[in-house]
Amino acid sequence: MHRTLTDLARCLHGDEHGSTPACELDWEHQEFLFIERLTFAGAEEILTMLRTLSPQLTDGRLPVRARNLAYRLLVLQRLDDPALMREAADSLSPHGPDWDDIAEDLKRRADALDPR
């Protein structure tokens, strides 16, 4: 088993920011296993994965669907973190108008918690 969510994501999706480790756990390289592990991961483990594999928010090889789910799970775990809400909104914005309303709602919620 991969030791961390980051290790599993790196093996499954690759990593343009660091070397992809040699791995003999091909049976574990299935999207549903990654999604299952992501679903039950804690906030710190999810943040580590996102910041390691996509340090510039929209780069990296982590699929948009996985990044969106990761931010959704983070926001649900940290309902009072305006910086994280803004980061999640910024992550949604470059991917078309489908999620613009959600991104704007996240920004409004963040501003209500911390107007800066």
Side-chain angles (χ1 to χ4, degrees):
M1 180 174 231
H2 293 89
R3 290 183 317 126
T4 67
L5 180 63
T6 302
D7 291 342
L8 178 55
R10 183 178 280 130
C11 282
L12 188 61
H13 299 293
D15 184 359
E16 65 188 42
H17 301 288
S19 61
T20 300
C23 183
E24 296 181 15
L25 298 174
D26 287 341
W27 64 272
E28 223 180 53
H29 296 171
Q30 298 179 51
E31 185 75 11
F32 81 93
L33 292 172
F34 169 71
I35 296 300
E36 183 177 277
R37 185 139 180 203
L38 174 61
T39 299
F40 297 102
E44 287 306 315
E45 188 174 17
I46 296 170
L47 277 171
T48 298
M49 177 198 64
L50 288 169
R51 300 224 166 110
T52 300
L53 299 180
S54 298
Q56 301 302 317
L57 202 60
T58 58
D59 61 353
R61 294 185 179 162
L62 195 62
V64 172
R65 67 185 178 275
R67 189 170 42 245
N68 288 350
L69 177 59
Y71 276 110
R72 177 69 173 153
L73 293 168
L74 279 169
V75 169
L76 287 171
Q77 290 183 47
R78 294 190 174 173
L79 294 170
D80 60 350
D81 188 336
L84 184 59
M85 287 180 192
R86 289 184 182 103
E87 184 178 324
D90 290 344
S91 177
L92 286 173
S93 296
H95 300 291
D98 293 346
W99 300 306
D100 286 353
D101 292 344
I102 296 167
E104 288 304 316
D105 183 55
L106 284 167
K107 289 176 187 176
R108 278 192 296 278
R109 288 172 50 200
D111 289 344
L113 289 169
D114 176 27
R116 288 192 202 187

